[in-house]
Structures are given as structure tokens and as C-alpha cells.
């Protein structure tokens, strides 16, 4: 009986230790979705742009809320890939309604001193402009067209984005 | 020896949490229960670790509209096998020697394993299925634990108190684990909170293996078990308990989604969880007193009505504070209902309580939780609307129970002045009105026997009546009305004062 107890304990302990080792050694998801990679290019550009710099404490990550500018919602697999890509550099939150991103009311600044980024739809293949809008406060909304070449293995931004009139993130206030 | 030390210190802690009037109960003599206490405590601590780790999970990063179909799918997929297995769990546990122990071990070991896997997937697509597997394993643990305690308790009279003590212990252990969980979350990240939780679950699984076998119990016929569990008192308590389990499942997901939708910070989820746990803790003290004052069935009604009343206020003014109060109220109601349900089952179904059918019943109660959760995720109503729906559902059930109480009291008060035969007829009528027609026939037949003087010869009329009653009470429900009418006539003919005609059922 004692032998049986010991063997069960041993098997259980070895299984859990093995799982613990595997658990510690795994990497976060790599983004492989072409739509996700397109959005990653846009967000990367925003985070690198000095005019959109987010001030954070040394042990904190900049917070970026992402909203779909339509026509369709951003798929879950795309959201997960984007979140996974920025896991060590930014805290990305995809939202359904703007109140999730703003302080208290519509037209207020973004929560946690972060940014709200609106992302337009991405065509299925080929080169395409992707619309992006950046919101920090109601007075500082900027819109861009990002020229993305998606004919290669990975999407690339062919030239710097051009500024356009914002539409999607503009509020009445 | 870790288990013995753990048992002793846990028990000492448990004693301190228990009101002095229960000190005379020989809980220390129930060695099986004392060894279960550290297992339960570790499970609760692991639960806290799991809950705290969710603050750093994908749930807060992705949009609910995108995640909802998957949440519904995984909730359904992970709960579906449970639905199929519910009737098989009892026999399975019973058939294998030490079956309860194996299920507890499997649940804890499985949780440890999936906690480790989840630590690598907190921001990945596998987060949802793995998190739901961990939740299902928690349900499996609860079912097995609830059906194990009665077979470990040496003195059946102490079952309700022992259950309350273990519930208190679980709440306290969960609260104690919150501080280290938050410290690890802030210093090392959510994945390390899960890894710590996995270690705790692993130790719990090892301790579960050392649980003693249940006390040898005489074989209880499945028919007796089913009869006891289908009694009106147990059935009514089961419906109340199931409703509250569904309400809890609904509210957890409803408030979780609503907080996310309105951009509430992650710590707000922690506040809601703490409020629900505090309600559960308070319920273990309230239940005993309330039961003594108003009785078991009214206590169950109060357990339903309290969260219903708070839900009305929450629906009228949905806010952080009202949401927290509602979480407390549902925790309180759920805990009071659980204690009272234990008491009802102990009193009215003592054999079934220790039998295999009870595990199936527990599994069905857990499925109520899953159904409530599915409804909340599938419908995704605004905060106030969900609270209103909860108020209507729980309030409606409370009202129905109140009406039933009044009816039962009315029958009881008029019957006390009658003879035994009349009281039996009244009871039969009430049973028939409630749909328990075969039981009604059996009770009515007893009334017929009561009016026949002892030692007198059996008349052909009585013999025919007994035969009809036997047929109606066994497998020919369609004869029940006829049998009831004839018994009523028989008693009326044998009784000196006139008796009112029976109401149509």
C-alpha cells in the first residue's frame, strides 16, 4: 500500500514539475496573421512617433486602446496576435465602446494617460491604404493614411503616412 | 508529517472561526473530515490565485464582442460533458474503491496542470479553453467534496455544522491567499501567480490521496434514494438551491462583462469577488439562526428574496457600489441556501445524502450555475437590465414559494382541529394539487385504513379500494383521481360528520 502511495506521489510530482518547466520556457504568441501584421506596423509607427509619446513610470507599459473604424469589427485572432506582439512594450486594449477608453464621459481624455488608436479595415490582399486615427484628447485627434504593401511575405510600410482629416474618432463635443 | 500538522493547525483555525455553542460537537473525532480540511483550504487558496491571475489575462485586452462567441462556445463545450456525465458521476464514485478521493485528486491535479499551461497562454488564444477547463475542474471538486463529506462524518447529526465550518474555513483560506497573490502579481506578473497556484493545487492533490476511505455504510436501495430525493421538501429545496446557483453563475459573468464594458479597472473585479466571498462567509453564520427562527423552507425563501430585493435597487441605480452590494447579497443568499439545503436533505433524505444519487444531484446543481453563466454571456444585457432580470427571476420564485407556504399553512391550520383521517385526506389533497399523485394515493389509503376500526373484518368495498389504491400508487397514475375520489367517499361514509368534497387536482 505504502509503495503504491509513493509511486502515485512520484508520478504526480514528476508530471507537475515537467509542466512547470514547460510553462516557464514557453514564448508568447508570434503574430502571423497578415491583418494583424498590418495593424502592428501602424501601432509600431504610432508608438515610435515623438508627438504621440506616452509618459509612464519605469515599471509600467504605455496604454493603447484600439477601436475599429469599420466597416467590420476586428477579429479575435487579430486582436490576440496584436496584444501578443506588444506584450513587453505596450498594454494594448481592444474596445467595443469608447467609454472603455475615456475618462468618465465621451469627449474626455484617454484613461491612464494613454492613446486611443482607431484602425480602418484592411483589404484581403495586395497594396492598400490603411486608415488610422490617434486620439489623446478631444482637441488633438489626428488622422493618417498608411500606405502598406502586402504583396510580399510580410506587409511593409512603403513610405511615411500622409495626414488626413480625422472622421472616425471625432466626437460632437 | 505535513498532513497531520496541517490537519491540526487547520482544525485549530477552524475552531476559532466557529461559534462557541458548537464547541461540544466532536468534530475532532471525524478524522476523515479533519483530513479534508487542509485539502479544501488549499483548493480555496488556489482558487484565489487563479482569480487574481485573471487580472493580467487576455480578457482585459480584447473586445467582448469579438470574444463572446468563443466564450459561449467554450462554456458550452466544457460544460456539455458534465451534463452527460452528471448521472454517471455518482455510480462512478461509488464503484471505485476510494472514488471520491480519486476524483478530488484528479480535480486538484488537473487544475495544477492547467494552471501551468495557462501561465503560458494568459495572452494567447488558448486562454479561454484552458480557463474554462480549470473552472470545470473546480465544479468537479465541489461535487465530489459535497458528496464526500456526508460519508466522512461519523455522526450524521453534525453534518450541517461540519459543512458550515468547512465553508467558513474555505472562505478564510481564500482570503488569506489574496495578499500573497497580489504581491506576486505586482512583483513577478500574473503567470507566476498561476504557477504558485499550481504548486498549491499540487500539494492539495497529494493530500487528497491520503484521505481515508468513507465509513462503511449499509447498501441503500436506489429506489429509497430516489424516493427520498423526490420528496416535496427536498424537491422544493433543490429548486431554490438550483435557482440560486444559476443566479450566481449569471451574476459573475454579467457583472464581469459589464465592468469590462464600462472600462472599470481590473481591481474592481477583485472587489466584486471579495464581496461575494464575504457574503458567503456571513451566510454560514446567518443560516443557522434564521433556520431556527423561521424554519427551513422560509429560510430558503429569504435566501432568494434578499438578492432579489437588492437586485431591484441595483436595476434602478446601477453603479459600482450597488453592484458590490448585489455581489455580497448573492453570496449571502447562496451560502444561506446551501446550509439550509444541507439541513433539509439531512432531515428528509438521510439515506440519499450518503448515496450515489446525491452526487448526480450535486452535478445538476453545478449545471444550473453553467446555465446562468451561458445566459449572461449569450444575452449580454446592460448592467441594469441584467440586475432587473435577476430581480424578476429570484423575486418570482420567492413569491411562488410564499404562496405555497401560505397554502400549506392554511391546510395545516384547518387540519389540526380534525381527526387523523381528515388530516391525512387534506395532506393527500395537497400532494395531489402539487402533482405528487401517487404519494397522494398512498396517504389517502392510510386515511381509509385509519377509519376502519382495529380488528374489524375487511369488507369487499375496502378490499377493492385497497387494490385500486395499490394499482394507482404503483404504476397506473391515471387511476389516481378515481382512487382519491373513492377513498374520500369511503372516509366520508365511515365518518359521523359530513366532509367536503375533494377539490379537483
Amino acid at each position: 500500500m505504502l509503495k503504491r502511495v509513493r509511486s502515485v506521489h512520484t508520478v504526480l510530482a514528476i508530471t507537475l514539475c515537467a509542466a512547470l518547466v514547460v510553462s516557464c520556457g514557453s514564448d508568447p504568441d508570434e503574430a502571423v496573421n497578415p491583418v494583424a501584421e498590418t495593424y502592428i506596423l501602424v501601432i509600431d509607427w504610432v508608438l515610435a512617433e515623438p508627438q504621440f509619446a506616452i509618459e509612464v513610470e519605469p515599471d509600467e507599459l504605455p496604454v493603447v486602446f484600439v477601436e475599429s473604424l469599420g466597416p467590420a469589427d476586428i477579429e479575435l485572432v487579430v486582436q490576440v496576435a496584436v496584444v501578443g506582439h506588444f506584450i513587453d512594450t505596450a498594454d494594448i486594449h481592444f474596445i467595443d465602446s469608447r467609454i472603455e477608453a475615456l475618462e468618465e464621459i465621451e469627449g474626455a481624455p484617454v484613461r491612464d494617460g494613454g492613446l486611443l488608436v482607431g484602425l480602418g479595415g484592411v483589404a484581403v490582399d495586395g497594396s492598400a491604404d490603411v486608415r488610422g486615427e490617434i486620439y489623446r484628447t478631444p482637441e488633438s485627434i489626428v488622422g493618417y493614411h498608411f500606405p502598406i504593401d502586402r504583396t510580399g511575405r510580410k506587409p511593409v510600410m512603403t513610405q511615411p503616412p500622409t495626414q488626413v482629416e480625422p472622421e472616425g474618432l471625432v466626437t460632437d463635443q | 508529517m505535513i498532513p497531520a500538522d496541517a490537519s491540526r493547525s487547520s482544525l485549530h483555525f477552524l475552531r476559532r472561526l466557529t461559534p462557541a455553542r458548537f464547541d461540544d460537537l466532536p468534530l475532532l473525532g471525524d478524522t476523515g473530515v479533519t483530513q479534508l480540511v487542509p485539502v479544501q483550504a488549499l483548493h480555496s487558496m488556489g482558487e484565489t490565485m487563479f482569480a487574481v491571475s485573471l487580472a493580467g489575462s487576455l480578457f482585459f485586452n480584447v473586445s467582448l464582442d469579438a470574444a463572446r462567441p468563443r466564450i459561449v462556445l467554450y462554456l458550452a463545450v466544457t460544460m456539455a460533458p458534465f451534463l452527460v456525465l452528471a448521472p454517471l458521476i455518482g455510480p462512478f464514485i461509488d464503484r471505485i474503491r476510494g472514488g471520491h478521493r480519486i476524483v478530488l485528486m484528479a480535480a486538484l491535479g488537473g487544475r495544477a496542470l492547467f494552471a501551468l499551461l495557462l501561465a503560458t497562454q494568459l495572452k494567447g488564444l488558448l486562454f479561454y479553453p484552458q480557463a474554462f477547463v480549470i473552472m470545470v475542474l473546480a465544479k468537479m471538486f465541489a461535487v465530489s467534496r459535497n458528496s464526500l463529506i456526508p460519508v466522512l462524518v461519523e455522526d450524521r447529526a453534525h453534518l450541517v455544522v461540519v459543512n458550515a465550518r468547512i465553508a467558513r474555513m474555505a472562505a478564510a483560506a481564500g482570503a488569506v491567499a489574496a495578499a500573497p497573490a497580489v504581491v506576486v502579481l505586482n512583483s513577478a506578473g500574473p503567470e507566476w501567480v498561476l504557477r504558485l497556484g499550481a504548486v498549491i493545487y499540487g500539494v492539495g492533490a497529494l493530500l487528497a490521496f491520503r484521505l481515508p476511505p468513507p465509513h462503511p455504510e449499509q447498501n441503500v436501495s436506489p429506489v429509497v434514494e430516489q424516493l427520498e430525493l423526490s420528496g416535496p421538501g427536498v424537491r422544493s429545496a433543490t429548486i431554490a438551491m438550483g435557482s440560486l446557483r444559476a443566479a450566481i453563475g449569471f451574476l459573475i459573468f454579467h457583472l464581469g462583462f459589464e465592468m469590462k464594458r464600462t472600462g472599470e479597472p481590473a481591481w474592481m473585479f477583485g472587489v466584486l469577488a471579495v464581496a461575494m466571498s464575504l457574503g458567503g462567509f456571513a451566510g454560514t453564520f446567518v443560516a443557522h439562526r434564521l433556520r431556527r427562527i423561521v424554519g427551513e423552507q422560509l429560510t430558503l425563501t429569504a435566501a432568494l428574496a434578499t438578492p432579489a430585493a437588492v437586485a431591484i435597487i441595483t436595476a434602478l441605480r446601477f453603479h459600482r457600489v450597488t453592484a458590490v452590494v448585489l455581489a455580497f447579497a448573492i453570496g449571502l443568499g447562496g451560502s444561506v441556501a446551501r446550509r439550509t439545503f444541507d439541513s433539509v436533505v439531512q432531515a428528509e433524505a438521510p439515506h440519499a445524502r450518503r448515496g450515489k444519487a446525491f452526487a448526480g444531484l450535486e452535478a445538476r446543481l453545478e449545471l444550473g450555475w453553467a446555465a446562468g453563466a451561458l445566459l449572461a454571456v449569450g444575452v449580454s444585457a446592460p448592467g441594469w437590465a441584467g440586475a432587473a432580470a435577476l430581480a424578476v427571476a429570484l423575486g418570482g420564485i420567492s413569491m411562488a414559494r410564499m404562496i405555497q407556504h401560505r397554502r400549506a399553512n392554511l391546510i395545516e391550520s384547518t387540519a389540526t382541529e380534525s381527526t387523523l383521517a381528515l388530516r391525512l385526506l387534506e395532506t393527500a389533497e395537497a400532494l395531489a394539487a402539487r402533482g405528487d399523485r401517487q404519494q397522494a394515493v398512498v396517504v389517502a389509503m392510510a386515511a381509509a385504513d385509519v377509519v376502519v376500526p382495529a380488528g374489524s373484518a375487511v369488507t369487499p368495498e375496502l378490499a377493492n379500494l385497497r387494490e385500486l389504491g395499490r394499482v394507482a400508487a404503483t404504476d397506473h397514475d391515471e387511476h389516481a383521481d378515481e382512487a382519491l375520489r373513492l377513498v374520500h367517499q369511503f372516509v366520508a361514509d365511515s365518518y359521523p360528520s359530513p366532509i367536503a368534497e375533494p377539490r379537483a387536482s
Side-chain angles (χ1 to χ4, degrees):
Chain A
M1 176 65 187
L2 193 64
K3 206 172 174 183
R4 196 171 133 246
V5 171
R6 277 187 188 152
S7 65
V8 171
H9 279 188
T10 311
V11 169
L12 195 64
I14 290 172
T15 310
L16 292 178
C17 286
L20 187 64
V21 170
V22 171
S23 146
C24 294
S26 298
D27 289 328
D29 282 351
E30 291 284 326
V32 289
N33 184 299
V35 178
E37 288 189 334
T38 306
Y39 287 153
I40 287 167
L41 277 178
V42 174
I43 297 171
D44 253 339
W45 181 87
V46 172
L47 287 173
E49 227 6 59
Q51 60 171 316
F52 302 124
I54 303 169
E55 284 181 22
V56 287
E57 296 293 320
D59 57 339
E60 287 179 354
L61 295 175
V63 179
V64 178
F65 294 94
V66 181
E67 180 182 319
S68 168
L69 294 179
D73 290 337
I74 300 170
E75 284 181 28
L76 184 66
V77 282
V78 174
Q79 296 187 16
V80 172
V82 173
V83 169
H85 179 86
F86 290 103
I87 199 162
D88 296 323
T89 49
D91 191 7
I92 308 286
H93 294 266
F94 286 85
I95 58 171
D96 293 315
S97 65
R98 204 159 301 166
I99 193 69
E100 285 181 57
L102 305 183
E103 300 275 5
E104 300 295 331
I105 50 160
E106 186 86 353
V110 176
R111 285 177 198 269
D112 305 322
L115 291 176
L116 169 60
V117 177
L119 294 174
V122 176
V124 179
D125 53 4
S127 299
D129 281 354
V130 175
R131 188 179 184 82
E133 296 183 12
I134 298 105
Y135 174 125
R136 191 196 296 275
T137 63
E139 299 79 30
S140 65
I141 306 170
V142 223
Y144 290 95
H145 263 145
F146 294 87
I148 309 284
D149 180 3
R150 295 174 53 231
T151 50
R153 201 177 65 83
K154 291 191 86 172
V156 285
M157 204 181 301
T158 49
Q159 49 188 298
T162 50
Q163 198 162 341
V164 295
E165 197 62 30
E167 292 169 1
L169 295 184
V170 177
T171 60
D172 296 336
Q173 294 174 31
Chain B
M1 289 288 286
I2 293 170
D5 290 347
S7 296
R8 271 197 294 276
S9 56
S10 305
L11 211 60
H12 177 67
F13 184 54
L14 190 62
R15 280 259 178 234
R16 294 182 62 183
L17 285 170
T18 311
R21 65 175 177 283
F22 293 134
D23 280 352
D24 57 327
L25 293 186
L27 182 58
L28 281 161
D30 290 332
T31 48
V33 177
T34 58
Q35 290 191 23
L36 180 65
V37 166
V39 176
Q40 171 61 61
L42 288 167
H43 181 265
S44 301
M45 292 170 88
E47 282 275 273
T48 302
M49 297 286 167
F50 172 62
V52 169
S53 76
L54 294 181
S57 74
L58 186 71
F59 178 80
F60 294 96
N61 292 98
V62 297
S63 73
L64 286 179
D65 285 346
R68 183 172 295 109
R70 281 187 192 241
I71 295 177
V72 170
L73 176 72
Y74 294 133
L75 199 52
V77 165
T78 47
M79 290 294 172
F82 214 49
L83 180 67
V84 177
L85 290 176
L88 307 176
I89 286 175
F92 168 77
I93 289 173
D94 226 45
R95 193 166 299 135
I96 301 173
R97 194 172 171 275
H100 288 97
R101 200 170 48 182
I102 291 170
V103 174
L104 286 181
M105 253 187 75
L108 285 161
R111 289 199 103 190
L113 194 66
F114 275 93
L116 290 176
L117 295 174
L118 188 64
T120 65
Q121 286 293 331
L122 270 169
K123 300 280 186 186
L125 259 184
L126 289 176
F127 162 74
Y128 289 111
Q130 289 178 357
F132 280 115
V133 168
I134 290 179
M135 280 164 60
V136 169
L137 290 171
K139 302 284 155 221
M140 199 168 113
F141 179 90
V143 167
S144 191
R145 178 206 54 205
N146 288 342
S147 44
L148 176 63
I149 293 171
V151 289
L152 288 179
V153 174
E154 284 165 9
D155 187 343
R156 289 181 190 186
H158 299 151
L159 182 62
V160 176
V161 177
V162 167
N163 263 327
R165 282 177 171 175
I166 289 178
R168 254 170 247 154
M169 175 72 195
V176 166
V182 171
V183 169
V184 174
L185 177 74
N186 289 328
S187 57
E191 61 277 11
W192 283 103
V193 181
L194 273 174
R195 285 173 190 135
L196 181 59
V199 171
I200 290 172
Y201 284 133
V203 175
L206 294 177
L207 292 188
F209 191 75
R210 304 184 73 101
L211 285 171
H215 294 304
E217 191 75 4
Q218 74 277 22
N219 281 336
V220 181
S221 147
V223 178
V224 171
E225 282 184 38
Q226 284 305 331
L227 272 176
E228 283 188 347
L229 289 178
S230 60
V234 175
R235 221 164 52 185
S236 170
T238 305
I239 292 169
M241 188 65 218
S243 309
L244 271 160
R245 293 296 301 155
I248 291 171
F250 176 85
L251 199 68
I252 288 173
F253 279 81
H254 175 67
L255 289 183
F257 273 42
E258 184 58 22
M259 295 292 127
K260 165 85 170 75
R261 189 167 31 224
T262 50
E264 294 286 353
W267 57 260
M268 192 57 209
F269 291 77
V271 171
L272 288 169
V274 168
M276 204 176 272
S277 298
L278 279 177
F281 190 70
T284 60
F285 292 97
V286 174
H288 179 70
R289 293 201 175 124
L290 204 57
R291 254 190 358 253
R292 280 207 308 201
I293 297 167
V294 297
E296 282 155 344
Q297 294 299 337
L298 266 178
T299 301
L300 283 169
T301 307
L304 288 157
T306 307
V310 177
I312 293 171
I313 299 165
T314 311
L316 292 173
R317 197 168 176 79
F318 192 87
H319 186 263
R320 265 185 195 181
V321 177
T322 51
V324 170
V325 177
L326 181 57
F328 177 86
I330 203 87
L332 178 74
S335 174
V336 168
R338 179 72 230 187
R339 310 280 84 77
T340 313
F341 175 74
D342 284 341
S343 168
V344 171
V345 173
Q346 179 56 34
E348 297 185 24
H351 299 97
R353 186 75 177 90
R354 292 177 173 221
K356 56 187 88 166
F358 192 70
L361 179 68
E362 286 282 353
R364 284 194 291 277
L365 287 178
E366 293 300 340
L367 278 169
W369 182 95
L374 258 177
L375 189 68
V377 178
V379 174
S380 188
W384 68 267
L390 201 68
V392 169
L394 292 182
I397 298 167
S398 310
M399 290 290 283
R401 288 179 63 87
M402 288 298 287
I403 293 166
Q404 209 176 12
H405 280 305
R406 279 181 63 86
R407 229 181 244 171
N409 286 343
L410 206 64
I411 289 169
E412 206 173 306
S413 63
T414 51
T416 45
E417 291 175 11
S418 312
T419 64
L420 177 60
L422 293 185
R423 274 183 281 151
L424 286 169
L425 276 183
E426 294 277 9
T427 308
E429 198 180 316
L431 284 167
R434 209 180 287 170
D436 298 326
R437 290 143 61 86
Q438 290 176 322
Q439 283 187 56
V441 171
V442 173
V443 174
M445 290 308 299
D449 282 334
V450 163
V451 293
V452 177
S456 60
V458 177
T459 61
E461 187 190 5
L462 181 59
N464 287 340
L465 195 58
R466 279 180 177 165
E467 180 56 22
L468 179 64
R470 193 190 61 76
V471 170
T474 49
D475 50 5
H476 291 283
D477 192 39
E478 68 270 18
H479 295 309
D481 282 341
E482 175 68 1
L484 286 171
R485 194 184 62 75
L486 288 175
V487 170
H488 205 278
Q489 187 60 47
F490 181 80
V491 174
D493 291 346
S494 316
Y495 201 70
S497 60
I499 302 172
E501 279 295 306
R503 289 191 292 266
S505 55

